Amino acid sequence: MIKGTLVKLRALRAEDAEHHLRWRNDPEVVRWASAGDPCFGPVTAEAIGIGFDTMLRLVPREAAVFTVEDLTDGRVIGMAEYRDLDPYAGVATLGVTIGEREFWGRGHGSEAVRLIMDHLFGAYGLNRLELDTWSGNERAVRAFTRLGFHEEGRRRSAVLVDGERYDRVLFGLLREEWSAGRRGSAPTSTGTRHP
């Protein structure tokens, strides 16, 4: 378990599948999480079951999916993950989805990303973290920038949402940038630091 001030990240459990099924069949969650990618949703319970079989067997040295719980009441509100962890290059890719709409824009997703950043830079000694979103998801662009990520490029007109084209926005954060952000922050009551 990885604990912050708003959320905690815990290991994925088989019973979390019901939440994923609900989120991936919610058109607004699908829109913002994946730019409406039909591979993300809608999906059947059978497809979620197959995906969960794989996710529950992930090797943490390569990838992991965490359940995001609200610290106030322990409610499951989303998922956060890392994948493509390359120990030789020192790189991993991150992702987060807050599936419960009432938690959007309240800092829960940002904190989940920050907790994974701290975990990967701390436990694995990585040199670089990457993530991406689509240019229409301005809330995610702002959040990633506030967390210290730098926009490194765009795949122009690579995303189609509701008949309109958007850019795929690519972000990166280097270890030294993360370290500098941690030195300039104050510890919280849980001992973690905020950039």
Side-chain angles (χ1 to χ4, degrees):
M1 175 180 63
I2 305 170
K3 189 174 178 183
T5 57
L6 295 173
V7 301
K8 74 175 178 181
L9 308 181
R10 65 156 171 81
L12 188 70
R13 298 179 193 142
E15 59 267 23
D16 295 328
E18 68 184 73
H19 303 291
H20 285 243
L21 179 63
R22 189 176 67 256
W23 301 330
R24 291 180 62 181
N25 284 290
D26 179 328
E28 282 298 299
V29 173
V30 172
R31 175 185 171 87
W32 296 111
S34 67
D37 183 346
C39 292
F40 188 83
V43 295
T44 64
E46 293 78 14
I48 290 288
I50 292 167
F52 257 68
D53 286 346
T54 301
M55 288 190 291
L56 290 168
R57 284 189 252 128
L58 290 173
V59 177
R61 291 188 180 270
E62 299 169 1
V65 178
F66 297 96
T67 296
V68 180
E69 290 184 353
D70 177 52
L71 270 184
T72 305
D73 60 8
R75 183 174 169 195
V76 173
I77 64 168
M79 54 84 61
E81 49 103 19
Y82 64 87
R83 62 189 180 280
D84 306 325
L85 193 151
D86 182 338
Y88 302 106
V91 178
T93 302
L94 311 180
V96 64
T97 298
I98 300 300
E100 299 300 331
R101 294 186 198 189
E102 63 267 30
F103 290 90
W104 290 358
R106 294 175 46 194
H108 294 74
S110 293
E111 184 172 75
V113 171
R114 185 186 55 75
L115 292 171
I116 291 181
M117 290 165 43
D118 292 351
H119 174 67
L120 291 172
F121 280 130
Y124 290 97
L126 297 181
N127 184 58
R128 172 186 171 77
L129 298 176
E130 302 173 343
L131 46 72
D132 66 67
T133 190
W134 56 292
S135 58
N137 192 344
E138 295 171 4
R139 185 173 54 229
V141 169
R142 285 191 307 272
F144 299 157
T145 302
R146 274 194 309 270
L147 286 166
F149 283 87
H150 296 272
E151 182 178 325
E152 295 183 332
R154 288 177 177 248
R155 293 188 182 126
R156 294 175 301 143
S157 206
V159 177
L160 181 64
V161 178
D162 297 331
E164 289 189 49
R165 289 276 169 195
Y166 295 88
D167 295 345
R168 171 73 54 203
V169 188
L170 312 172
F171 290 91
L173 177 68
L174 301 178
R175 179 179 194 78
E176 60 263 21
E177 295 163 343
W178 168 78
S179 293
R182 287 178 55 86
R183 283 193 301 273
S185 64
T188 67
S189 60
T190 60
T192 57
R193 296 177 179 268
H194 291 279

